[in-house]
Amino acid sequence: MPPDVTEPMSTPMSWESIQQRLGAQVWRALLVFMLIGAPVSALRATNTGWLPIYGFHLSILGLVLFVQLLGTRVTYKAKAALTILILSTTSLAGMSGLGLLSQATTAFVACVVLTSLLFSSRATAFVAFAFVASISAIAFGFVSGSLQIAFDTNLYVLQPLNWALPLLAALLVATTLALSISVYKNSTYALLVEVERQRDLLAHQATHDRLTDLPTLRLATDRLDVALKTAQRKQSKVALMFLDLDGFKKANDTYGHEAGDVVLQTIALRLLHMVRASDTVARIGGDEFIVVLGDIQDSSLAAETAKRIIAAIAEPIPYKDHQLCVGCSVGIAVFPEHATDAAALRRAADAAMYEVKRSGKNNFLFANVGMQSHSDVD
């Protein structure tokens, strides 16, 4: 049986799990940034004097560490929202004290992108509007003179340490966005692949028998129709065999349904080994099977195949400490001798199989005009 389509259905990756992976990635980035960035920010006090923003950064670091210690008790959505809130408030606080020397505009882009990946479009629009409004208010404060930078900016930009935090922030923001988009892309691709696999699995299960993995009557009928059209075009023949197991009920009743399942699975494998790759073997219900031999030149191939099938099925089937023995009755109808369409061909093969049942079983017989199908007799 093909393992790619008969394995049990698994739970596909959901949008919730994709967002969870994104949230975890963003939270790890924030943790790394605060562990490095908060101390670096505080060190700038040696050049600028102690500013409230430095204490704010250290407080945020304490909050992040506290949430990290809580572990899974804080949901990924809460951590994601907290990440965006910390990134935005820290950036706006820096801009209110440092003006354009801060990294608020970089953080603005990062927050909007992360919100769009993790939350709804309404939340994204809200974050974008809040940032624009906040930066506009801070800009108005500096332009009007109500906000001022508390140190000499010319001296500030001459200190290497003061460049460290903006560079670190830019690097971390870019890396976080790249990793988040990569996680989103890969997870979405995995989701699409899983959906495709589940679709193929459902399609396979709709046309194949669960026990034997053979095609069902529906699929076999479609293949028979194709074989008949091909035979008409190539002036060849099609043989349809109806097989009914002899002695299956006795084995099933004596040893149980598990033994019956083993018999059916074994018979299915043996039938597949008796035909060509282009032919079709199908289980149509219970202990009944059909075989479609397409594109044959004469009926002798059908007769030879039937003999080999009867011999193969008659071989004992091991089951625990027992050897189960069954036989089969085979009815054969050939296009165009016995019928010219699929339905008539099925009736003719069924009638031939039923005639074998009545005349002693464990044999094969070609259809003829005077036979009645099992359904007709019933």
Side-chain angles (χ1 to χ4, degrees), residues 9-55:
M9 293 181 65
S10 60
T11 303
M13 180 181 292
S14 63
W15 178 244
E16 182 81 7
S17 62
I18 293 176
Q19 288 185 310
Q20 188 169 357
R21 291 180 61 186
L22 281 171
Q25 178 67 50
V26 170
W27 177 258
R28 286 193 294 268
L30 175 68
L31 181 61
V32 171
F33 176 63
M34 294 310 302
L35 284 172
I36 299 174
V40 171
S41 177
L43 285 174
R44 291 183 296 173
T46 58
N47 298 319
T48 63
W50 186 262
L51 297 176
I53 187 62
Y54 306 149

mmCIF file of all heavy atoms in Angstrom, residues 9-55:
data_model
loop_
_atom_site.group_PDB
_atom_site.id
_atom_site.type_symbol
_atom_site.label_atom_id
_atom_site.label_comp_id
_atom_site.label_asym_id
_atom_site.label_seq_id
_atom_site.Cartn_x
_atom_site.Cartn_y
_atom_site.Cartn_z
ATOM 1 N N MET A 9 -4.677 10.184 8.913
ATOM 2 C CA MET A 9 -4.672 11.622 8.709
ATOM 3 C C MET A 9 -4.120 12.305 9.949
ATOM 4 O O MET A 9 -4.502 12.006 11.070
ATOM 5 C CB MET A 9 -6.085 12.128 8.411
ATOM 6 C CG MET A 9 -6.638 11.651 7.089
ATOM 7 S SD MET A 9 -8.289 12.298 6.765
ATOM 8 C CE MET A 9 -7.939 14.040 6.624
ATOM 9 N N SER A 10 -3.195 13.227 9.763
ATOM 10 C CA SER A 10 -2.631 13.997 10.857
ATOM 11 C C SER A 10 -3.305 15.359 10.917
ATOM 12 O O SER A 10 -3.955 15.791 9.985
ATOM 13 C CB SER A 10 -1.120 14.171 10.655
ATOM 14 O OG SER A 10 -0.865 14.844 9.442
ATOM 15 N N THR A 11 -3.104 16.005 12.067
ATOM 16 C CA THR A 11 -3.677 17.338 12.227
ATOM 17 C C THR A 11 -2.798 18.341 11.496
ATOM 18 O O THR A 11 -1.621 18.492 11.821
ATOM 19 C CB THR A 11 -3.754 17.709 13.714
ATOM 20 O OG1 THR A 11 -4.525 16.720 14.393
ATOM 21 C CG2 THR A 11 -4.385 19.077 13.888
ATOM 22 N N PRO A 12 -3.313 19.007 10.479
ATOM 23 C CA PRO A 12 -2.469 19.920 9.717
ATOM 24 C C PRO A 12 -2.108 21.152 10.529
ATOM 25 O O PRO A 12 -2.792 21.517 11.470
ATOM 26 C CB PRO A 12 -3.362 20.294 8.526
ATOM 27 C CG PRO A 12 -4.752 20.110 9.016
ATOM 28 C CD PRO A 12 -4.690 18.958 9.975
ATOM 29 N N MET A 13 -0.980 21.784 10.149
ATOM 30 C CA MET A 13 -0.575 23.022 10.800
ATOM 31 C C MET A 13 -1.654 24.070 10.593
ATOM 32 O O MET A 13 -2.138 24.277 9.493
ATOM 33 C CB MET A 13 0.756 23.497 10.214
ATOM 34 C CG MET A 13 1.251 24.785 10.826
ATOM 35 S SD MET A 13 2.808 25.335 10.088
ATOM 36 C CE MET A 13 3.917 24.060 10.686
ATOM 37 N N SER A 14 -2.046 24.736 11.668
ATOM 38 C CA SER A 14 -3.113 25.729 11.607
ATOM 39 C C SER A 14 -2.522 27.134 11.595
ATOM 40 O O SER A 14 -1.322 27.336 11.859
ATOM 41 C CB SER A 14 -4.036 25.574 12.818
ATOM 42 O OG SER A 14 -3.319 25.827 14.016
ATOM 43 N N TRP A 15 -3.373 28.098 11.281
ATOM 44 C CA TRP A 15 -2.938 29.498 11.334
ATOM 45 C C TRP A 15 -2.542 29.877 12.753
ATOM 46 O O TRP A 15 -1.613 30.662 12.964
ATOM 47 C CB TRP A 15 -4.060 30.377 10.830
ATOM 48 C CG TRP A 15 -3.747 31.840 10.883
ATOM 49 C CD1 TRP A 15 -4.373 32.784 11.626
ATOM 50 C CD2 TRP A 15 -2.702 32.518 10.179
ATOM 51 N NE1 TRP A 15 -3.791 34.016 11.428
ATOM 52 C CE2 TRP A 15 -2.764 33.882 10.537
ATOM 53 C CE3 TRP A 15 -1.728 32.106 9.274
ATOM 54 C CZ2 TRP A 15 -1.889 34.823 10.030
ATOM 55 C CZ3 TRP A 15 -0.846 33.059 8.772
ATOM 56 C CH2 TRP A 15 -0.943 34.391 9.155
ATOM 57 N N GLU A 16 -3.218 29.279 13.721
ATOM 58 C CA GLU A 16 -2.887 29.537 15.121
ATOM 59 C C GLU A 16 -1.447 29.104 15.417
ATOM 60 O O GLU A 16 -0.705 29.818 16.088
ATOM 61 C CB GLU A 16 -3.858 28.769 16.020
ATOM 62 C CG GLU A 16 -3.656 28.981 17.505
ATOM 63 C CD GLU A 16 -4.273 30.260 18.029
ATOM 64 O OE1 GLU A 16 -4.980 30.935 17.259
ATOM 65 O OE2 GLU A 16 -4.038 30.576 19.199
ATOM 66 N N SER A 17 -1.049 27.931 14.915
ATOM 67 C CA SER A 17 0.309 27.443 15.181
ATOM 68 C C SER A 17 1.351 28.300 14.461
ATOM 69 O O SER A 17 2.460 28.496 14.970
ATOM 70 C CB SER A 17 0.429 25.980 14.760
ATOM 71 O OG SER A 17 0.211 25.834 13.372
ATOM 72 N N ILE A 18 1.006 28.807 13.274
ATOM 73 C CA ILE A 18 1.930 29.693 12.562
ATOM 74 C C ILE A 18 2.153 30.973 13.358
ATOM 75 O O ILE A 18 3.291 31.430 13.536
ATOM 76 C CB ILE A 18 1.384 30.022 11.158
ATOM 77 C CG1 ILE A 18 1.375 28.762 10.288
ATOM 78 C CG2 ILE A 18 2.221 31.110 10.495
ATOM 79 C CD1 ILE A 18 0.774 28.970 8.920
ATOM 80 N N GLN A 19 1.070 31.554 13.856
ATOM 81 C CA GLN A 19 1.201 32.768 14.654
ATOM 82 C C GLN A 19 1.971 32.500 15.942
ATOM 83 O O GLN A 19 2.718 33.355 16.423
ATOM 84 C CB GLN A 19 -0.187 33.324 14.966
ATOM 85 C CG GLN A 19 -0.882 33.958 13.762
ATOM 86 C CD GLN A 19 -2.190 34.604 14.142
ATOM 87 O OE1 GLN A 19 -3.029 33.994 14.793
ATOM 88 N NE2 GLN A 19 -2.368 35.843 13.741
ATOM 89 N N GLN A 20 1.772 31.309 16.498
ATOM 90 C CA GLN A 20 2.492 30.961 17.728
ATOM 91 C C GLN A 20 4.002 30.905 17.482
ATOM 92 O O GLN A 20 4.793 31.392 18.295
ATOM 93 C CB GLN A 20 1.993 29.621 18.252
ATOM 94 C CG GLN A 20 2.533 29.259 19.626
ATOM 95 C CD GLN A 20 1.813 28.077 20.227
ATOM 96 O OE1 GLN A 20 0.873 27.542 19.648
ATOM 97 N NE2 GLN A 20 2.252 27.660 21.392
ATOM 98 N N ARG A 21 4.399 30.330 16.357
ATOM 99 C CA ARG A 21 5.820 30.289 16.014
ATOM 100 C C ARG A 21 6.373 31.698 15.787
ATOM 101 O O ARG A 21 7.487 32.025 16.206
ATOM 102 C CB ARG A 21 6.025 29.445 14.764
ATOM 103 C CG ARG A 21 5.771 27.962 14.962
ATOM 104 C CD ARG A 21 6.003 27.187 13.686
ATOM 105 N NE ARG A 21 7.384 27.330 13.233
ATOM 106 C CZ ARG A 21 7.837 26.857 12.081
ATOM 107 N NH1 ARG A 21 7.005 26.234 11.259
ATOM 108 N NH2 ARG A 21 9.088 27.010 11.739
ATOM 109 N N LEU A 22 5.573 32.528 15.121
ATOM 110 C CA LEU A 22 5.998 33.915 14.899
ATOM 111 C C LEU A 22 6.155 34.657 16.219
ATOM 112 O O LEU A 22 7.140 35.373 16.436
ATOM 113 C CB LEU A 22 4.979 34.628 14.021
ATOM 114 C CG LEU A 22 5.038 34.359 12.520
ATOM 115 C CD1 LEU A 22 3.833 34.973 11.836
ATOM 116 C CD2 LEU A 22 6.313 34.923 11.936
ATOM 117 N N GLY A 23 5.159 34.486 17.095
ATOM 118 C CA GLY A 23 5.205 35.166 18.388
ATOM 119 C C GLY A 23 6.416 34.760 19.205
ATOM 120 O O GLY A 23 7.068 35.602 19.842
ATOM 121 N N ALA A 24 6.740 33.472 19.189
ATOM 122 C CA ALA A 24 7.912 32.989 19.928
ATOM 123 C C ALA A 24 9.192 33.576 19.357
ATOM 124 O O ALA A 24 10.114 33.955 20.103
ATOM 125 C CB ALA A 24 7.952 31.462 19.885
ATOM 126 N N GLN A 25 9.262 33.664 18.029
ATOM 127 C CA GLN A 25 10.454 34.224 17.381
ATOM 128 C C GLN A 25 10.639 35.693 17.756
ATOM 129 O O GLN A 25 11.747 36.146 18.083
ATOM 130 C CB GLN A 25 10.329 34.090 15.866
ATOM 131 C CG GLN A 25 11.467 34.675 15.065
ATOM 132 C CD GLN A 25 12.767 33.920 15.277
ATOM 133 O OE1 GLN A 25 12.793 32.705 15.180
ATOM 134 N NE2 GLN A 25 13.823 34.641 15.596
ATOM 135 N N VAL A 26 9.563 36.448 17.734
ATOM 136 C CA VAL A 26 9.631 37.876 18.055
ATOM 137 C C VAL A 26 9.994 38.089 19.525
ATOM 138 O O VAL A 26 10.789 38.973 19.864
ATOM 139 C CB VAL A 26 8.280 38.546 17.719
ATOM 140 C CG1 VAL A 26 8.240 39.966 18.263
ATOM 141 C CG2 VAL A 26 8.053 38.555 16.217
ATOM 142 N N TRP A 27 9.426 37.244 20.399
ATOM 143 C CA TRP A 27 9.723 37.392 21.824
ATOM 144 C C TRP A 27 11.207 37.100 22.108
ATOM 145 O O TRP A 27 11.845 37.807 22.891
ATOM 146 C CB TRP A 27 8.832 36.465 22.644
ATOM 147 C CG TRP A 27 9.142 36.532 24.112
ATOM 148 C CD1 TRP A 27 9.852 35.639 24.860
ATOM 149 C CD2 TRP A 27 8.783 37.592 25.011
ATOM 150 N NE1 TRP A 27 9.955 36.054 26.157
ATOM 151 C CE2 TRP A 27 9.299 37.258 26.285
ATOM 152 C CE3 TRP A 27 8.072 38.776 24.867
ATOM 153 C CZ2 TRP A 27 9.127 38.070 27.393
ATOM 154 C CZ3 TRP A 27 7.890 39.584 25.974
ATOM 155 C CH2 TRP A 27 8.417 39.230 27.221
ATOM 156 N N ARG A 28 11.762 36.088 21.464
ATOM 157 C CA ARG A 28 13.188 35.794 21.654
ATOM 158 C C ARG A 28 14.053 36.965 21.195
ATOM 159 O O ARG A 28 15.062 37.289 21.826
ATOM 160 C CB ARG A 28 13.565 34.516 20.889
ATOM 161 C CG ARG A 28 13.078 33.235 21.531
ATOM 162 C CD ARG A 28 13.748 32.021 20.907
ATOM 163 N NE ARG A 28 13.364 31.860 19.518
ATOM 164 C CZ ARG A 28 12.348 31.137 19.095
ATOM 165 N NH1 ARG A 28 11.578 30.511 19.988
ATOM 166 N NH2 ARG A 28 12.080 31.019 17.821
ATOM 167 N N ALA A 29 13.664 37.599 20.095
ATOM 168 C CA ALA A 29 14.412 38.750 19.605
ATOM 169 C C ALA A 29 14.366 39.903 20.605
ATOM 170 O O ALA A 29 15.382 40.568 20.855
ATOM 171 C CB ALA A 29 13.855 39.190 18.253
ATOM 172 N N LEU A 30 13.181 40.128 21.187
ATOM 173 C CA LEU A 30 13.055 41.194 22.185
ATOM 174 C C LEU A 30 13.921 40.900 23.406
ATOM 175 O O LEU A 30 14.593 41.801 23.943
ATOM 176 C CB LEU A 30 11.593 41.351 22.603
ATOM 177 C CG LEU A 30 11.339 42.364 23.727
ATOM 178 C CD1 LEU A 30 11.612 43.785 23.231
ATOM 179 C CD2 LEU A 30 9.909 42.254 24.247
ATOM 180 N N LEU A 31 13.929 39.643 23.833
ATOM 181 C CA LEU A 31 14.722 39.270 25.006
ATOM 182 C C LEU A 31 16.204 39.540 24.768
ATOM 183 O O LEU A 31 16.899 40.121 25.625
ATOM 184 C CB LEU A 31 14.486 37.788 25.317
ATOM 185 C CG LEU A 31 15.214 37.215 26.542
ATOM 186 C CD1 LEU A 31 14.775 37.928 27.808
ATOM 187 C CD2 LEU A 31 14.954 35.713 26.656
ATOM 188 N N VAL A 32 16.695 39.132 23.596
ATOM 189 C CA VAL A 32 18.109 39.364 23.269
ATOM 190 C C VAL A 32 18.400 40.862 23.213
ATOM 191 O O VAL A 32 19.419 41.346 23.744
ATOM 192 C CB VAL A 32 18.462 38.691 21.923
ATOM 193 C CG1 VAL A 32 19.862 39.107 21.458
ATOM 194 C CG2 VAL A 32 18.379 37.173 22.050
ATOM 195 N N PHE A 33 17.501 41.608 22.572
ATOM 196 C CA PHE A 33 17.712 43.053 22.419
ATOM 197 C C PHE A 33 17.778 43.748 23.781
ATOM 198 O O PHE A 33 18.653 44.603 24.023
ATOM 199 C CB PHE A 33 16.595 43.643 21.579
ATOM 200 C CG PHE A 33 16.677 45.138 21.462
ATOM 201 C CD1 PHE A 33 17.756 45.755 20.858
ATOM 202 C CD2 PHE A 33 15.657 45.947 21.961
ATOM 203 C CE1 PHE A 33 17.827 47.132 20.763
ATOM 204 C CE2 PHE A 33 15.723 47.322 21.874
ATOM 205 C CZ PHE A 33 16.810 47.925 21.262
ATOM 206 N N MET A 34 16.865 43.383 24.689
ATOM 207 C CA MET A 34 16.830 44.057 25.982
ATOM 208 C C MET A 34 18.021 43.652 26.842
ATOM 209 O O MET A 34 18.559 44.474 27.598
ATOM 210 C CB MET A 34 15.523 43.733 26.707
ATOM 211 C CG MET A 34 14.274 44.291 26.028
ATOM 212 S SD MET A 34 14.371 46.065 25.616
ATOM 213 C CE MET A 34 14.685 46.797 27.204
ATOM 214 N N LEU A 35 18.453 42.389 26.729
ATOM 215 C CA LEU A 35 19.609 41.956 27.519
ATOM 216 C C LEU A 35 20.868 42.703 27.101
ATOM 217 O O LEU A 35 21.749 42.971 27.933
ATOM 218 C CB LEU A 35 19.813 40.444 27.346
ATOM 219 C CG LEU A 35 18.849 39.541 28.102
ATOM 220 C CD1 LEU A 35 19.046 38.091 27.693
ATOM 221 C CD2 LEU A 35 19.022 39.698 29.613
ATOM 222 N N ILE A 36 20.969 43.046 25.823
ATOM 223 C CA ILE A 36 22.147 43.780 25.329
ATOM 224 C C ILE A 36 21.905 45.288 25.339
ATOM 225 O O ILE A 36 22.755 46.076 25.770
ATOM 226 C CB ILE A 36 22.510 43.318 23.902
ATOM 227 C CG1 ILE A 36 22.843 41.821 23.907
ATOM 228 C CG2 ILE A 36 23.671 44.126 23.347
ATOM 229 C CD1 ILE A 36 23.072 41.253 22.530
ATOM 230 N N GLY A 37 20.734 45.669 24.866
ATOM 231 C CA GLY A 37 20.464 47.084 24.645
ATOM 232 C C GLY A 37 20.280 47.900 25.906
ATOM 233 O O GLY A 37 20.748 49.058 25.972
ATOM 234 N N ALA A 38 19.611 47.336 26.925
ATOM 235 C CA ALA A 38 19.361 48.118 28.142
ATOM 236 C C ALA A 38 20.663 48.524 28.841
ATOM 237 O O ALA A 38 20.839 49.707 29.203
ATOM 238 C CB ALA A 38 18.447 47.333 29.085
ATOM 239 N N PRO A 39 21.618 47.615 29.051
ATOM 240 C CA PRO A 39 22.884 48.042 29.657
ATOM 241 C C PRO A 39 23.645 49.034 28.785
ATOM 242 O O PRO A 39 24.259 49.990 29.304
ATOM 243 C CB PRO A 39 23.662 46.719 29.799
ATOM 244 C CG PRO A 39 22.610 45.661 29.844
ATOM 245 C CD PRO A 39 21.537 46.147 28.934
ATOM 246 N N VAL A 40 23.654 48.817 27.461
ATOM 247 C CA VAL A 40 24.332 49.758 26.566
ATOM 248 C C VAL A 40 23.701 51.138 26.661
ATOM 249 O O VAL A 40 24.394 52.170 26.683
ATOM 250 C CB VAL A 40 24.283 49.240 25.111
ATOM 251 C CG1 VAL A 40 24.779 50.310 24.142
ATOM 252 C CG2 VAL A 40 25.121 47.973 24.975
ATOM 253 N N SER A 41 22.371 51.171 26.737
ATOM 254 C CA SER A 41 21.676 52.452 26.862
ATOM 255 C C SER A 41 22.067 53.167 28.150
ATOM 256 O O SER A 41 22.341 54.375 28.153
ATOM 257 C CB SER A 41 20.166 52.222 26.824
ATOM 258 O OG SER A 41 19.464 53.429 27.019
ATOM 259 N N ALA A 42 22.126 52.410 29.251
ATOM 260 C CA ALA A 42 22.473 53.025 30.539
ATOM 261 C C ALA A 42 23.900 53.555 30.549
ATOM 262 O O ALA A 42 24.197 54.575 31.199
ATOM 263 C CB ALA A 42 22.279 52.009 31.666
ATOM 264 N N LEU A 43 24.794 52.892 29.805
ATOM 265 C CA LEU A 43 26.192 53.335 29.752
ATOM 266 C C LEU A 43 26.342 54.704 29.098
ATOM 267 O O LEU A 43 27.341 55.405 29.314
ATOM 268 C CB LEU A 43 27.043 52.301 28.998
ATOM 269 C CG LEU A 43 27.363 51.008 29.758
ATOM 270 C CD1 LEU A 43 28.086 50.026 28.846
ATOM 271 C CD2 LEU A 43 28.195 51.299 31.007
ATOM 272 N N ARG A 44 25.351 55.101 28.329
ATOM 273 C CA ARG A 44 25.450 56.410 27.683
ATOM 274 C C ARG A 44 25.380 57.552 28.679
ATOM 275 O O ARG A 44 25.666 58.707 28.360
ATOM 276 C CB ARG A 44 24.340 56.561 26.643
ATOM 277 C CG ARG A 44 24.501 55.662 25.428
ATOM 278 C CD ARG A 44 23.408 55.900 24.407
ATOM 279 N NE ARG A 44 22.084 55.549 24.936
ATOM 280 C CZ ARG A 44 20.935 55.777 24.295
ATOM 281 N NH1 ARG A 44 20.957 56.372 23.106
ATOM 282 N NH2 ARG A 44 19.789 55.438 24.833
ATOM 283 N N ALA A 45 24.977 57.240 29.898
ATOM 284 C CA ALA A 45 24.913 58.279 30.947
ATOM 285 C C ALA A 45 26.282 58.894 31.217
ATOM 286 O O ALA A 45 26.381 60.029 31.723
ATOM 287 C CB ALA A 45 24.334 57.683 32.224
ATOM 288 N N THR A 46 27.340 58.170 30.895
ATOM 289 C CA THR A 46 28.686 58.719 31.097
ATOM 290 C C THR A 46 28.961 59.892 30.182
ATOM 291 O O THR A 46 29.850 60.722 30.471
ATOM 292 C CB THR A 46 29.747 57.622 30.836
ATOM 293 O OG1 THR A 46 29.586 57.134 29.499
ATOM 294 C CG2 THR A 46 29.592 56.473 31.821
ATOM 295 N N ASN A 47 28.209 60.003 29.079
ATOM 296 C CA ASN A 47 28.408 61.105 28.133
ATOM 297 C C ASN A 47 27.315 62.163 28.231
ATOM 298 O O ASN A 47 27.556 63.335 27.944
ATOM 299 C CB ASN A 47 28.442 60.574 26.696
ATOM 300 C CG ASN A 47 29.595 59.607 26.471
ATOM 301 O OD1 ASN A 47 30.701 59.847 26.951
ATOM 302 N ND2 ASN A 47 29.325 58.525 25.761
ATOM 303 N N THR A 48 26.129 61.726 28.625
ATOM 304 C CA THR A 48 24.989 62.656 28.588
ATOM 305 C C THR A 48 24.444 62.989 29.961
ATOM 306 O O THR A 48 23.581 63.853 30.087
ATOM 307 C CB THR A 48 23.845 62.032 27.772
ATOM 308 O OG1 THR A 48 23.386 60.847 28.427
ATOM 309 C CG2 THR A 48 24.309 61.682 26.363
ATOM 310 N N GLY A 49 24.970 62.330 30.992
ATOM 311 C CA GLY A 49 24.314 62.443 32.283
ATOM 312 C C GLY A 49 23.120 61.494 32.316
ATOM 313 O O GLY A 49 22.660 61.003 31.288
ATOM 314 N N TRP A 50 22.640 61.236 33.504
ATOM 315 C CA TRP A 50 21.524 60.275 33.628
ATOM 316 C C TRP A 50 20.238 60.889 33.106
ATOM 317 O O TRP A 50 19.847 61.978 33.510
ATOM 318 C CB TRP A 50 21.340 59.843 35.074
ATOM 319 C CG TRP A 50 20.295 58.749 35.195
ATOM 320 C CD1 TRP A 50 19.002 58.917 35.540
ATOM 321 C CD2 TRP A 50 20.482 57.368 34.937
ATOM 322 N NE1 TRP A 50 18.342 57.708 35.529
ATOM 323 C CE2 TRP A 50 19.244 56.722 35.152
ATOM 324 C CE3 TRP A 50 21.577 56.595 34.551
ATOM 325 C CZ2 TRP A 50 19.069 55.365 35.008
ATOM 326 C CZ3 TRP A 50 21.399 55.232 34.405
ATOM 327 C CH2 TRP A 50 20.162 54.627 34.628
ATOM 328 N N LEU A 51 19.626 60.204 32.140
ATOM 329 C CA LEU A 51 18.350 60.642 31.585
ATOM 330 C C LEU A 51 17.252 59.642 31.960
ATOM 331 O O LEU A 51 17.543 58.454 32.146
ATOM 332 C CB LEU A 51 18.445 60.742 30.055
ATOM 333 C CG LEU A 51 19.444 61.758 29.492
ATOM 334 C CD1 LEU A 51 19.495 61.659 27.962
ATOM 335 C CD2 LEU A 51 19.061 63.172 29.926
ATOM 336 N N PRO A 52 16.005 60.105 32.075
ATOM 337 C CA PRO A 52 14.917 59.191 32.430
ATOM 338 C C PRO A 52 14.791 57.999 31.481
ATOM 339 O O PRO A 52 14.383 56.912 31.899
ATOM 340 C CB PRO A 52 13.685 60.095 32.348
ATOM 341 C CG PRO A 52 14.208 61.464 32.616
ATOM 342 C CD PRO A 52 15.560 61.498 31.990
ATOM 343 N N ILE A 53 15.188 58.185 30.206
ATOM 344 C CA ILE A 53 15.042 57.103 29.233
ATOM 345 C C ILE A 53 15.888 55.896 29.609
ATOM 346 O O ILE A 53 15.515 54.747 29.355
ATOM 347 C CB ILE A 53 15.414 57.612 27.816
ATOM 348 C CG1 ILE A 53 15.086 56.536 26.761
ATOM 349 C CG2 ILE A 53 16.883 57.988 27.752
ATOM 350 C CD1 ILE A 53 13.663 56.179 26.659
ATOM 351 N N TYR A 54 17.055 56.139 30.281
ATOM 352 C CA TYR A 54 17.915 55.035 30.648
ATOM 353 C C TYR A 54 17.259 54.174 31.738
ATOM 354 O O TYR A 54 17.315 52.943 31.702
ATOM 355 C CB TYR A 54 19.277 55.549 31.123
ATOM 356 C CG TYR A 54 19.964 56.474 30.134
ATOM 357 C CD1 TYR A 54 20.811 57.505 30.560
ATOM 358 C CD2 TYR A 54 19.774 56.310 28.772
ATOM 359 C CE1 TYR A 54 21.446 58.340 29.655
ATOM 360 C CE2 TYR A 54 20.395 57.144 27.850
ATOM 361 C CZ TYR A 54 21.222 58.159 28.305
ATOM 362 O OH TYR A 54 21.834 58.990 27.411
ATOM 363 N N GLY A 55 16.647 54.833 32.699
ATOM 364 C CA GLY A 55 15.914 54.099 33.733
ATOM 365 C C GLY A 55 14.728 53.345 33.148
ATOM 366 O O GLY A 55 14.405 52.236 33.581
#
